[in-house]
Amino acid sequence: ASLYYGLSIRKSIDFPIQYEIHDAGVSFDHSFSRSTSVSLGLGYYKPTGDTSLPGTPALDPGVTSLIRLEKSFQRGSVGLGASTGWDDGLMEIVPRGFTKFGTVIGSVDYQPVEKINVFANASYRKNSYANEEIDILLNQATEDETYTGRCGVDWAFYRWFSLGLLYTYTNRISPDPDNEFVDNRIGLTLTAQKPF
């Protein structure tokens, strides 16, 4: 078992935005056997200051949660989990402010031969935007859904290096057509890591 505390601070030069978000909770991990484990978490976040971005609503306090079950076998593992929490939305193309979300994710890893690992995962996420009254007034969707699928392969070579090929599919579905999109992405990664 463990306790955690996080503090997010934002100070803006361009806008009169200054806020802090306190995030604390407890997590618990348990192994039923050498191959099966579960993780549980429960927390609470509380914003202070002005969390309303220009034209967007403020963030209300709320609860975060996490549950994950993992099962390993001779050449790989499978996992299933769900979580709830908050997001500041700063990485969006058109930031809509704070979001409360719930997500479910499943994953599988498999090693068909030595030094080659194949993996895949899929997730579903539902966003609820902070203030429905403002979103309705601005004719914006108050909720949307995002489906994501990812698969790839990693090849380890020369002891400390690995080469990876990754494909990601993302589909956001929203009552507002302006918030919908489909994204296909291919990535190639080269990793070097030396244990010490």
Side-chain angles (χ1 to χ4, degrees):
S2 61
L3 299 173
Y4 71 87
Y5 170 77
L7 174 62
S8 299
I9 302 173
R10 185 183 183 196
K11 295 182 179 180
S12 176
I13 299 174
D14 298 327
F15 302 100
I17 302 172
Q18 294 190 15
Y19 63 76
E20 298 178 354
I21 299 176
H22 305 266
D23 195 346
V26 61
S27 62
F28 174 78
D29 298 325
H30 177 68
S31 296
F32 297 101
S33 66
R34 291 185 177 182
S35 62
T36 307
S37 63
V38 65
S39 298
L40 302 171
L42 186 63
Y44 180 78
Y45 62 89
K46 181 179 180 181
T48 60
D50 183 11
T51 58
S52 59
L53 305 177
T56 65
L59 177 68
D60 296 325
V63 174
T64 62
S65 62
L66 166 70
I67 180 170
R68 179 170 176 81
L69 181 65
E70 189 161 340
K71 172 76 174 177
S72 60
F73 47 94
Q74 186 175 2
R75 291 191 174 183
S77 65
V78 294
L80 182 64
S83 64
T84 62
W86 63 276
D87 191 331
D88 57 18
L90 295 176
M91 298 303 294
E92 294 184 353
I93 296 174
V94 180
R96 292 191 55 189
F98 288 99
T99 304
K100 294 181 180 180
F101 70 85
T103 185
V104 178
I105 186 169
S107 63
V108 59
D109 289 270
Y110 180 65
Q111 188 177 35
V113 295
E114 187 180 3
K115 297 185 178 181
I116 293 182
N117 184 57
V118 179
F119 60 91
N121 60 59
S123 67
Y124 165 79
R125 171 169 164 155
K126 184 172 184 178
N127 292 322
S128 298
Y129 296 98
N131 191 319
E132 294 188 4
E133 294 180 1
I134 291 180
D135 285 335
I136 292 173
L137 182 64
L138 297 176
N139 196 28
Q140 293 179 327
T142 59
E143 294 183 344
D144 57 41
E145 301 173 316
T146 304
Y147 297 86
T148 304
R150 183 178 291 109
C151 62
V153 58
D154 287 320
W155 171 49
F157 64 100
Y158 292 137
R159 191 175 180 183
W160 296 325
F161 298 90
S162 64
L163 189 66
L165 180 64
L166 174 70
Y167 168 70
T168 304
Y169 169 83
T170 305
N171 184 6
R172 175 180 285 179
I173 299 173
S174 172
D176 183 355
D178 292 334
N179 289 330
E180 290 189 324
F181 67 85
V182 174
D183 180 63
N184 293 279
R185 188 169 301 188
I186 296 175
L188 183 66
T189 61
L190 176 64
T191 304
Q193 56 183 2
K194 178 181 177 182
F196 59 90

